[in-house]
Amino acid sequence: VAMAATRSVMRAVRVFEFGGPEVLKLQSDVLVPVPKENQVLIKVHACGVNPVETYIRSGTYARKPALPYTPGSDVAGVIESVGEHVTAFKKGDRVFTLETVSGGYAEYAVAAANRVFPLPDKLDFRQGAAIGVPYFTAYRALFQKGCAKAGESVLVHGASGGVGLAACQIARACGLKVLGTAGTEEGMNVILRNGAHQAFNHRDPNYTERIKACTGPGGVDIIIEMLSNVNLDADLQLLSCAGRVMVVGCRGRIEINPRDTMSKESSIIGVSLFLATEEERHECATAVLDGIEAGWLKPVVGLEYPLEKVAKAHEDIICSSGARGKMVLLL
């Protein structure tokens, strides 16, 4: 009976071949998925757009979904129906997800119940779509992989996007000294409003010298790196003894001198939310929900696009002059 109330077809973005943004096809006759056991069906109000979704779409990423597929993992919306054995949610609940089974660039999405979390009333759906991947990734990079401690310093290299702002907010709330870089004046202002003690413009040719002047001879303890193919060599010069670079984003190759890691016993550590264990995801979720409750976790929403403009969103997230928060699709 519950399913009869739901329309049987929906609008959804489908990818039939890997390639540029033009392979994202909006279709209006996609079947609404049905939740299986331990799954929920969500009526999507907003869906986050992440850089990794552009890499997957291009076919150059390590993980290749079976074609055709619908991209998107961070949705926020309302529970439409639940599958068997789901007790944590009911129809009408406001929720956000960490990932979806059927794809988030759609009017309805199925997700595993253990990847779905309650969306508190103090956040709107646009903000809900900006939580999952950015905040879980930032928390994992800082604490689960980076072993950050209060009193340490962190440089968020590329701080004005979704993960960067999440890292600034989390690090500040947890007692770290937070430095951030952005590519525009506006981006620098955004990161200063969201936890950074100091901001630097990474388009300024001398910006690494300014960071060194700020951190002194000790260097910076942790670098959260969004564009390691450009910055990794310079990052190694900025680190403290036993400092670590957390590689969150990369778009190609780079040459480094491994001797730079020996002189400081520094580490280069890759971060992949995809590899998190159930326990680690649970730890991330607890930290995130506590942060929302405490009031310091406030997702910053950047550019917003209707579903029809999804190709433009994929173009802009890679080519735009500087991020200002999390990019979202609105439904």
Side-chain angles (χ1 to χ4, degrees):
V1 179
M3 283 314 293
T6 306
R7 286 180 306 145
S8 55
V9 296
M10 63 174 181
R11 293 189 312 143
V13 174
R14 302 292 281 161
V15 175
F16 293 93
E17 58 179 332
F18 296 112
E22 70 283 352
V23 303
L24 297 160
K25 305 288 187 202
L26 179 58
Q27 302 199 293
S28 54
D29 56 353
V30 179
L31 288 174
V32 173
V34 177
K36 300 187 174 74
E37 63 176 359
N38 300 314
Q39 293 181 342
V40 298
L41 178 67
I42 299 165
K43 183 173 192 334
V44 178
H45 286 255
C47 181
V49 179
N50 296 293
V52 69
E53 288 148 24
T54 71
Y55 312 152
I56 293 169
R57 182 215 71 227
S58 71
T60 59
Y61 197 63
R63 293 203 321 271
K64 279 195 184 64
L67 295 167
Y69 77 99
T70 294
S73 55
D74 299 327
V75 309
V78 174
I79 298 281
E80 179 72 26
S81 62
V82 301
E84 280 186 86
H85 311 309
V86 175
T87 53
F89 300 103
K90 62 184 187 309
K91 183 175 165 68
D93 287 350
R94 286 164 44 97
V95 294
F96 71 93
T97 68
L98 181 59
E99 54 190 68
T100 65
V101 175
S102 60
Y105 296 7
E107 290 179 320
Y108 292 89
V110 161
N114 64 355
R115 301 286 190 278
V116 177
F117 307 95
L119 179 63
D121 288 335
K122 61 169 80 169
L123 299 182
D124 63 31
F125 291 118
R126 293 154 50 252
Q127 292 173 302
I131 300 172
V133 169
Y135 283 88
F136 281 60
T137 299
Y139 183 86
R140 181 168 181 76
L142 282 162
F143 297 105
Q144 293 177 341
K145 294 292 162 189
C147 304
K149 293 176 186 62
E152 286 191 312
S153 57
V154 59
L155 169 66
V156 184
H157 215 159
S160 61
V163 178
L165 288 169
C168 288
Q169 289 179 2
I170 294 171
R172 179 66 177 251
C174 295
L176 282 89
K177 181 182 180 188
V178 186
L179 314 177
T181 77
T184 63
E185 196 66 38
E186 193 181 351
M188 289 165 67
N189 289 332
V190 169
I191 63 182
L192 288 169
R193 286 199 300 272
N194 284 281
H197 292 89
Q198 285 189 275
F200 304 86
N201 188 329
H202 50 225
R203 292 179 203 277
D204 168 359
N206 302 317
Y207 84 99
T208 53
E209 295 310 314
R210 295 184 182 192
I211 292 172
K212 283 180 183 164
C214 173
T215 60
V220 66
D221 298 307
I222 303 170
I223 297 176
I224 306 290
E225 182 51 70
M226 308 305 167
L227 198 60
S228 47
N229 54 298
V230 173
N231 300 323
L232 188 57
D233 187 49
D235 287 342
L236 295 175
Q237 323 300 322
L238 294 172
L239 284 178
S240 64
C241 272
R244 44 269 187 224
V245 181
M246 312 309 301
V247 178
V248 170
C250 183
R251 297 181 188 172
R253 303 176 74 86
I254 184 170
E255 189 173 307
I256 62 165
N257 183 348
R259 189 178 292 277
D260 292 335
T261 66
M262 294 161 65
S263 58
K264 295 173 177 172
E265 291 195 325
S266 55
S267 312
I268 301 166
I269 303 169
V271 179
S272 171
L273 185 57
F274 186 64
L275 296 177
T277 63
E278 201 56 61
E279 292 74 20
E280 287 172 330
R281 264 193 300 269
H282 182 72
E283 184 194 338
C284 290
T286 302
V288 164
L289 292 168
D290 287 351
I292 296 172
E293 187 56 40
W296 58 256
L297 194 157
K298 290 198 188 76
V300 179
V301 177
L303 296 169
E304 302 171 11
Y305 300 79
L307 211 46
E308 298 77 29
K309 294 279 196 321
V310 63
K312 180 86 171 90
H314 267 224
E315 210 171 289
D316 291 352
I317 200 167
I318 296 302
C319 304
S320 70
S321 62
R324 295 177 306 284
K326 169 81 175 204
M327 185 180 281
V328 297
L329 299 172
L330 297 181
L331 286 95

